[in-house]
Structures are given as C-alpha cells and as structure tokens.
Amino acid sequence: MNPHHILDGLNAPQLEAVTLPDVSALILAGAGSGKTRVLTTRIAWLIQTGRIGPGGVMAVTFTNKAAREMLTRISAMLPINTRGMWVGTFHGLCNRLLRAHFREAALPQSFQILDSQDQLALVKRVMKANGLDDEKYPPRQAQWFINANKDAGLRPSRVDPADEFERRFRDVYEAYDRQCQHEGVVDFAELLLRCHELLSRNEILREHYRARFRHILVDEFQDTNKLQYAWLKLLAGRDSCVFAVGDDDQSVYRFRGAEPGNMRQFEHEFATDHVIKLEQNYRSHGNILDAANALISHNQARLGKNLWTAEGKGEPLRVFEAASDAQEAAYIVDEVRSLRAEGVNLADVALLYRSNAQSRVLEHALFGAGIPYRVYGGLRFFERQEIKHALAYLRLIANAEDDGAFLRVVNFPTRGIGARSVEALQEIARTHGSSLWHAACANPPGGKAGSSIAAFVRLIDGMRTAVAGLPLQEIVESVVEGSSLKDHYRTEKEGAERIENLDELVNAAAAFSAEEIYDPQQPEGGMVDPDDPLSALNAFLAHAALEAGEHQAGAGQDALQLMTAHSAKGLEFHSVFISGLEEGLFPHENSLNELDGLEEERRLMYVALTRARRRLYLTFAQSRMLHGQVRYNLASRFFQELPPALMKRVNAPAARAAGYNPFTGASPRAAFENTVSYAGNPWRVGQNVTHPKFGAGVIVNAEGRGSDARVQVNFREAGLKWLALEYAKLSAA
C-alpha cells in the first residue's frame, strides 16, 4: 500500500498542514476550505507514518456529530479500530477521564450527569431548602450564575459578588455544590471544571496524560471559552504538539462564553512558527466569496485571510426591497417556487433570519402557499413554549372550561401552586363532574394553595374584564402583559428572545385582524364579525392551532429549511435567503451597545453569506411589525459594505418615495407633499388628529398611497411618529 495515498487530492496549503513536523500550529481554515478533511487526514498521516499510535492522539470537537464524522473518515482511510481513540467533545472527553480517575476526582464510580432540566430542579430544591423567594431570586438566573462562574473556572469561594443579589446567588452556588457532592452528581459545566482541577493538583496524572497525548488536535478553536483553553494548556506538555484549527471570522458564540481572542493567545503562548491559511473554498461561487471577503474586511480584530475559488464567478447576489415584511415573505415564497421548478430540492434551500421572532411571518406565508418546511434547531413559532403559555391564557379568557389551558398556566409563572394542590383540585373536579375552573371557583382546596388558586382565578377574571370590547390585537397585548410572562422571561439569561416572540404574537394578531379571516367554528366558515372581539379571538386561536399542526414536514419529506443565522453555522445549501437585513435587526440593535458587538454581528453575516453554494438572496423591508406597531426601517449597513457590482437589485418599489436611497439612509422626500389618502379618506399636513394610544397630535408629513400610505404625526405626549394609515386608527380631531 502506498503510505501517502491518503494525501492524494490535497491542495498545497492542506498538504503543508497535514504533513507538518512535530510542532504546534495554528490552521486558519476559511469557510468551505476542507478543514474536517485536513484534521482527519492529519490524524491518519500521523498514525500511518508511525509518529504516534491511535491511542496517542486526542482530538477535541464541539459536537458529537463532528466527532462521529471524524472517526468514520479515519476508519475509511486506515485499517484500524477507532473505537478506543480519544476523539470527542470537551465534555465527553472530560467525562471519560473522570470515570477513569473517579477516586482522585472525589466522585463515586457511578456518578450521574445532570442535564439542564435536572440541574434546574436541583437548584430549585436547594433554594427552597434555604428559604429563598424564587420570585425575588429566579432559579433560572441562579442556574445561569452557577454555570457562568464554572465556565470561568471559579468555585463559590472565589466568586466576588458585586451586590447583595449576587451574594445570595453565591450562597446558592455553595449550597448547590455541597448537594451535588452529597448526591454524587455533576452538571455539564462541572465535568470540565472538575477535570481541570484534577489535572491542576495531580502532577503525576497530568504528566501521564501529557506523555500519552503528544498530539492534540482541536476543531473550531475560535469557539473555545476561557476554561476550555486553560484545560488544553494543562494537557499540553513541553513536548506536546497542539494542532489548532479554526476561523476567527466565524466566531459567533461570544454570548455562550466563546473567546475569539484565544486564537491570538494560542499563537503567542505556543510560539507557533506555523500559521497556515486554508483559503481555497470548495463550496461557493466567486461572487458570494468576494462579497463575504469585502464585508469581513471591515472588522479590525482579525487574523486575516481571503477566500477564493477555482469555480466561476456565478450569479450576482439578488437584492429585494419589500414595502413590508409580508411582501418580503411573499417574494421569498415566489422564489422558492421558482427554484423548485428549476429542479432544486427544497431541502437544499435555506431561509435565514437574525431573530427567531421573524419566522412567524415567513411561516405564515409558507403555510398559506402549502410549502413544507422545517425549523432547524428549534420549534415552529406557534409551538414555542412562551407562545403556548400565552395562548393558554388567551384560551382561558375565551373559554374558562378549557382544562388543558388551565393546567398549563395555573402555576406559570410560579405562584406557589404545587403538583399536590393541582392533583387535589383535579380530584374535586372529578367528584363534582366539573371543570377545573369551576372547581377552583366553587370548591378550592384549603390552606395556602387554596389562596394561591383563588388569586389565579382573580387574575384571569380581571384580564377577561380588562379586554372586554377591545380589538383582537389589544386583547393579545393586554393578556401578554397581564400574565407576567414577560416579567418571568426577563429573569432568564436568554429570555430576550422569548420576549421578542411574545411581541411577535401581538404582531400576528394584528396581521390576522387585517386579513379577511374566517371562523372555522361558524357554519360554512362564515367570516368573523369584526365587531365581536370574542369571535375574532376564537378564530385566531383556531388559526394558531392549525399553523402549529399542519404542513409539518414528515421524516424524509423534501422541505425548506428555516433557521437563525447562528444555527446555520457549519451547514451549506444550493440557495440561501437572508431576510430582515435592516438596521436594528441585522445588525441587531443590542450589538451597538456591546463591546465589539458590531464586529460579532458582521461575523454572523459572514457566516450567513458563506452558507450559499450557487444562489444568494438578500431581502429587507421598508416597514415591519414590531411590538404591535409598524416600524419603518433603513437598510442594513452591511449593504454599504458589499461591493455594488456584486449585487443585482431585482426591484425598485413604487411605494418608496422619490429620492430615497435605502442603502445610504438618505431622508425620504414625500411623494405627496400635502395629502395622502387611504380607503378614500384624505389626510393633509397640518391636520389635527387623535390616536387611541398616543393621544392628540398634528400631521407634519405624509407619503405613499393606498395600503402603503403613511403619515408623520407630532403627538403632544409621544413626540414624532410615522404611522401606517392601514393600521393607525387615526381620527380627525
């Protein structure tokens, strides 16, 4: 057998990386440059040339899927048994090491690993045992505090609380640590921390593994956090060779603790003379890569590389400017149909967005068009936990006898109604043959639980009274606020996205009201009476249930892929749509207030661009429903960072006022300087008006026509606001 057959087909930089001598090296592997091939071929080459045996290699990945793929490729290249090789995730390898040295790690031999839900349950038990109010000190926030400090390598004794709130959480952390040790359990963050501590204090063990693993290979190095890097440095002895593969331009997980600066530190601390750049891309056409290179060049803190391809330039990037988010979704649906007609499988088409909340409008359009789709790495909009909770409150407003809705929210957010109390209430309901609501009103259990149930009944009754006679959108908005769901999710580390989704539910109600909706519960699907809010609410709830349950792509069915830009990392598709490219959305408005936040957003856009092989669509909307109001948008600044020659504008909406440049953010000039009209009603500059939410004001500007007509009003209390006449409900003063 030719010992070098495994090197066949490698390009020059790949070959250089694979055949490096026994030294540490940093491999800058651009998107689509074959980094997995380089990693696995490096391992195979080390083994085949006798530099190391299979048991002397450690390869670290971030997902079990990546680890399995590496082992499969090695097996295909070499006639060896890979089962005993140390190839796995950080957590998997730490678990393996701790199992082998459980005594030295002060763990029972059969220690159990807590998943996230198990960990939260234990945190709650510890807090209850210590008499902490879980409303004042939310358990999820305590869980995040514990994990964040573990990821930073800090035990409770080393945590320096900034205030009384953090001091309480430090006490919870300390009590939680003791309870875990007592029960012989560890959480995911503990696996890495415990392993790091073991190697730090046990020199004999540390030197044993340093001698054994002379070659350590790390995938996705840009995603390592502080503790993971410290663990790697402990394992790497004087004679160890660390082969770090990563792409600082694709570091998009700072919110999870990833430190892109680890790559620069590695280059310095390991004195790497070898920094090899893998820049030839085997995925995308040239125009896509040129756009990605131009965009990412605006980031200052990067190691630098430039993707290129031997393929042709391909098609220009298609840019679509929509008048509204609904029009944007309609365009995407039409293009998906065209791609399908060209023979492109739906599974090879991805629809990307910055925020999960954006998927609701897109899903609605796909649902209406009968196009099957899957939400990758997440739930469809109406299946998300926070949405189902909000819908359960709405179902109780519409029908108090709905036991399923009652059970879902009677103790969510937590209000001191435990499982035993609910079981007691269910028994009362069975005995009297009534609903849970009726039992709660007429025969509630005694004691504290009974008082809590009575308070819940008052809450629902109060919300039902408050929304009586309101239009659908305001019913949903009122119930979302009154349920305290937003207050609950504000205490979660990643609760901001759930709150965005709740706001999007309000938008969904507004959009639903604006359509010609039909109530499936009425004979022959009669149209909903717009003057009967309860009828509209029932129709909306039926609509939500249908969209949650219909058009779900079955296993093996060809389906469009919907996902956030974060979820798309590591994937590739024939065609990619990047939607919602507007200032404040992508880049996200939060990034402007964070250190290096804009650079991270740009890296995320770079990831999104480089997912496409052949065709790339960039879409944005002049107006978008956010927080129950129409928001008018400027195109994302990223358009200004992409070479105009690479982009093809596929439309120039008539709704845009003359002189308005969406890419530069130039101020629009009113298409009609004095008046606009909607549904036959004229509105003029200088006219006094009133708005149900903002009060009295004066129209100071107006533009557009028909359903795109809008006015700018200077309100006495709320100041200047642009309002779409289709939704604004203005009245002349």
Side-chain angles (χ1 to χ4, degrees):
M1 179 185 295
N2 177 3
H4 298 294
H5 78 284
I6 60 175
L7 305 180
D8 293 345
L10 296 177
N11 64 36
Q14 290 174 337
L15 182 63
E16 181 186 2
V18 167
T19 58
L20 279 172
D22 293 351
V23 293
S24 291
L26 178 61
I27 313 300
L28 283 179
S33 63
K35 72 176 178 65
T36 304
R37 183 181 184 188
V38 167
L39 267 168
T40 52
T41 307
R42 171 71 173 172
I43 295 171
W45 185 81
L46 289 170
I47 295 171
Q48 191 176 58
T49 56
R51 292 173 178 271
I52 199 74
V57 175
M58 175 182 280
V60 192
T61 70
F62 271 83
T63 66
N64 288 314
K65 179 183 177 183
R68 287 192 297 270
E69 182 177 353
M70 287 178 68
L71 289 169
T72 300
R73 291 196 186 195
I74 294 168
S75 295
M77 285 188 276
L78 297 177
I80 62 172
N81 186 346
T82 61
R83 291 191 64 182
M85 291 183 67
W86 284 61
V87 177
T89 64
F90 280 98
H91 293 112
L93 294 174
C94 286
N95 174 56
R96 186 169 177 176
L97 198 147
L98 291 173
R99 297 285 178 191
H101 305 285
F102 63 91
R103 291 189 183 88
E104 294 90 337
L107 288 169
Q109 185 173 7
S110 58
F111 69 84
Q112 299 299 306
I113 300 173
L114 301 174
D115 64 19
S116 181
Q117 290 302 313
D118 292 334
Q119 182 191 24
L120 180 60
L122 181 52
V123 168
K124 289 178 178 179
R125 279 197 283 129
V126 167
M127 292 180 68
K128 185 175 182 180
N130 286 271
L132 278 181
D133 181 355
D134 60 8
E135 291 190 5
K136 186 175 181 181
Y137 301 99
R140 285 190 182 276
Q141 199 165 340
Q143 180 186 30
W144 175 84
F145 179 86
I146 292 168
N147 290 337
N149 279 290
K150 287 188 177 188
D151 285 343
L154 300 176
R155 289 293 181 192
S157 59
R158 294 181 56 208
V159 173
D160 184 18
D163 50 33
E164 176 63 17
F165 195 77
E166 286 196 357
R167 189 189 69 77
R168 289 293 188 120
F169 276 161
R170 184 191 61 183
D171 293 343
V172 171
Y173 182 11
E174 190 171 22
Y176 169 83
D177 248 8
R178 287 196 303 268
Q179 191 62 29
C180 284
Q181 191 65 33
H182 174 72
E183 296 183 17
V185 295
V186 299
D187 53 53
F188 282 108
E190 180 71 19
L191 286 169
L192 193 62
L193 179 56
R194 182 74 64 117
C195 193
H196 180 268
E197 291 171 341
L198 173 61
L199 293 173
S200 296
R201 68 172 181 266
N202 193 318
E203 183 181 359
I204 295 174
L205 205 59
R206 183 171 68 248
E207 292 305 321
H208 163 76
Y209 281 106
R210 283 180 171 181
R212 176 175 179 178
F213 298 123
R214 289 191 297 109
H215 285 273
I216 301 173
L217 300 93
V218 188
D219 191 14
E220 303 284 8
F221 195 84
Q222 79 279 354
D223 291 335
T224 54
N225 64 25
K226 180 179 179 181
L227 185 58
Q228 288 163 342
Y229 183 44
W231 181 81
L232 287 167
K233 288 195 291 184
L234 268 181
L235 274 173
R238 185 179 306 166
D239 300 322
S240 298
C241 306
V242 180
F243 189 84
V245 182
D247 182 1
D248 58 326
D249 289 334
Q250 295 190 72
S251 180
V252 295
Y253 293 125
R254 186 181 287 274
F255 66 95
R256 293 182 186 170
E259 287 286 349
N262 284 349
M263 296 186 76
R264 285 192 177 278
Q265 266 191 273
F266 175 83
E267 187 180 5
H268 171 71
E269 293 177 351
F270 282 78
T272 54
D273 295 326
H274 296 82
V275 176
I276 298 173
K277 298 181 180 182
L278 305 182
E279 298 175 298
Q280 183 175 359
N281 177 283
Y282 294 92
R283 175 187 301 158
S284 306
H285 274 160
N287 283 336
I288 295 170
L289 299 181
D290 291 345
N293 288 331
L295 177 90
I296 204 64
S297 68
H298 288 79
N299 273 6
Q300 301 301 312
R302 60 189 294 258
L303 295 168
K305 64 184 178 314
N306 206 59
L307 296 177
W308 63 276
T309 180
E311 298 271 352
K313 288 296 185 181
E315 303 177 10
L317 284 60
R318 303 182 183 202
V319 178
F320 180 80
E321 177 186 359
S324 66
D325 48 358
Q327 189 186 74
E328 177 190 48
Y331 168 74
I332 290 171
V333 165
D334 287 343
E335 287 300 307
V336 168
R337 284 174 170 152
S338 296
L339 286 166
R340 208 174 185 182
E342 292 175 23
V344 180
N345 291 329
L346 287 178
D348 210 11
V349 180
L351 173 47
L352 310 185
Y353 35 80
R354 176 61 181 85
S355 166
N356 268 315
Q358 289 171 252
S359 80
R360 201 275 309 167
V361 173
L362 300 167
E363 287 187 58
H364 179 66
L366 293 167
F367 173 84
I371 296 176
Y373 66 91
R374 290 190 188 90
V375 179
Y376 183 92
L379 296 171
R380 296 154 69 93
F381 181 79
F382 285 109
E383 294 172 344
R384 292 170 189 157
Q385 180 203 80
E386 61 276 14
I387 299 303
K388 291 179 79 68
H389 285 324
L391 291 174
Y393 277 103
L394 290 166
R395 283 161 54 190
L396 277 181
I397 298 297
N399 175 21
E401 308 298 303
D402 187 332
D403 282 357
F406 185 98
L407 288 170
R408 186 173 190 92
V409 296
V410 67
N411 196 42
F412 194 93
T414 306
R415 50 178 62 88
I417 303 172
R420 289 186 180 179
S421 301
V422 173
E423 288 171 4
L425 188 64
Q426 286 176 309
E427 184 57 38
I428 293 170
R430 276 194 295 270
T431 301
H432 291 84
S434 70
S435 66
L436 292 172
W437 176 264
H438 183 79
C441 294
N443 306 98
K448 183 180 178 182
S451 300
S452 298
I453 290 172
F456 173 68
V457 168
R458 289 195 298 274
L459 171 69
I460 300 299
D461 278 338
M463 287 197 292
R464 187 180 292 113
T465 301
V467 303
L470 293 180
L472 176 62
Q473 176 186 343
E474 293 180 30
I475 291 176
V476 175
E477 188 173 19
S478 176
V479 170
V480 165
E481 293 293 339
S483 65
S484 298
L485 286 171
K486 283 189 175 181
D487 293 337
H488 170 79
Y489 289 122
R490 285 189 185 101
T491 67
E492 292 189 358
K493 178 186 175 183
E494 297 180 13
E497 187 171 292
R498 294 191 187 276
I499 292 171
E500 284 183 2
N501 287 337
L502 289 170
D503 288 335
E504 184 58 28
L505 183 64
V506 178
N507 296 342
F512 184 76
S513 296
E515 296 173 355
E516 285 200 16
I517 51 178
Y518 289 81
D519 185 352
Q521 296 178 354
Q522 291 187 17
E524 300 182 7
M527 196 166 83
V528 172
D529 181 356
D531 297 323
D532 180 1
L534 190 59
S535 168
L537 176 58
N538 281 324
F540 178 65
L541 291 170
H543 159 79
L546 286 170
E547 286 214 9
E550 296 294 329
H551 290 282
Q552 179 64 47
Q557 182 181 359
D558 188 33
L560 183 70
Q561 308 296 302
L562 270 64
M563 66 192 77
T564 62
H566 279 102
S567 297
K569 188 169 177 287
L571 303 175
E572 61 178 81
F573 305 90
H574 175 281
S575 299
V576 170
F577 295 83
I578 307 175
S579 62
L581 283 170
E582 299 137 28
E583 280 296 295
L585 191 54
F586 201 177
H588 198 280
E589 56 193 355
N590 292 347
S591 69
L592 304 180
N593 302 317
E594 298 170 355
L595 181 65
D596 298 327
L598 184 57
E599 293 218 342
E600 176 119 347
E601 289 291 297
R602 194 175 284 114
R603 290 194 294 268
L604 185 59
M605 180 63 176
Y606 175 84
V607 167
L609 291 170
T610 54
R611 297 311 95 196
R613 295 198 301 269
R614 295 294 177 265
R615 192 173 295 178
L616 184 58
Y617 297 84
L618 310 178
T619 69
F620 67 102
Q622 294 176 16
S623 65
R624 187 174 297 275
M625 286 285 288
L626 287 172
H627 316 301
Q629 293 291 322
V630 177
R631 187 171 86 171
Y632 293 91
N633 312 301
L634 291 176
S636 169
R637 69 187 65 196
F638 294 151
F639 282 111
Q640 300 175 47
E641 299 173 358
L642 296 172
L646 300 178
M647 297 185 288
K648 175 186 177 183
R649 296 295 303 277
V650 298
N651 73 324
R656 191 173 69 241
Y660 174 49
N661 185 339
F663 291 174
T664 63
S667 298
R669 177 165 54 85
F672 300 91
E673 295 184 356
N674 297 313
T675 65
V676 295
S677 65
Y678 174 70
N681 297 321
W683 299 91
R684 70 179 188 282
V685 173
Q687 185 175 3
N688 291 316
V689 295
T690 58
H691 184 273
K693 181 175 182 179
F694 302 126
V698 179
I699 297 177
V700 296
N701 204 348
E703 66 181 29
R705 63 183 68 188
S707 61
D708 293 314
R710 63 175 185 156
V711 293
Q712 188 179 35
V713 182
N714 188 8
F715 291 103
R716 291 176 190 169
E717 303 294 333
L720 282 170
K721 291 189 181 296
W722 278 103
L723 301 174
L725 290 174
E726 184 176 7
Y727 301 106
K729 299 177 183 174
L730 282 178
S731 56

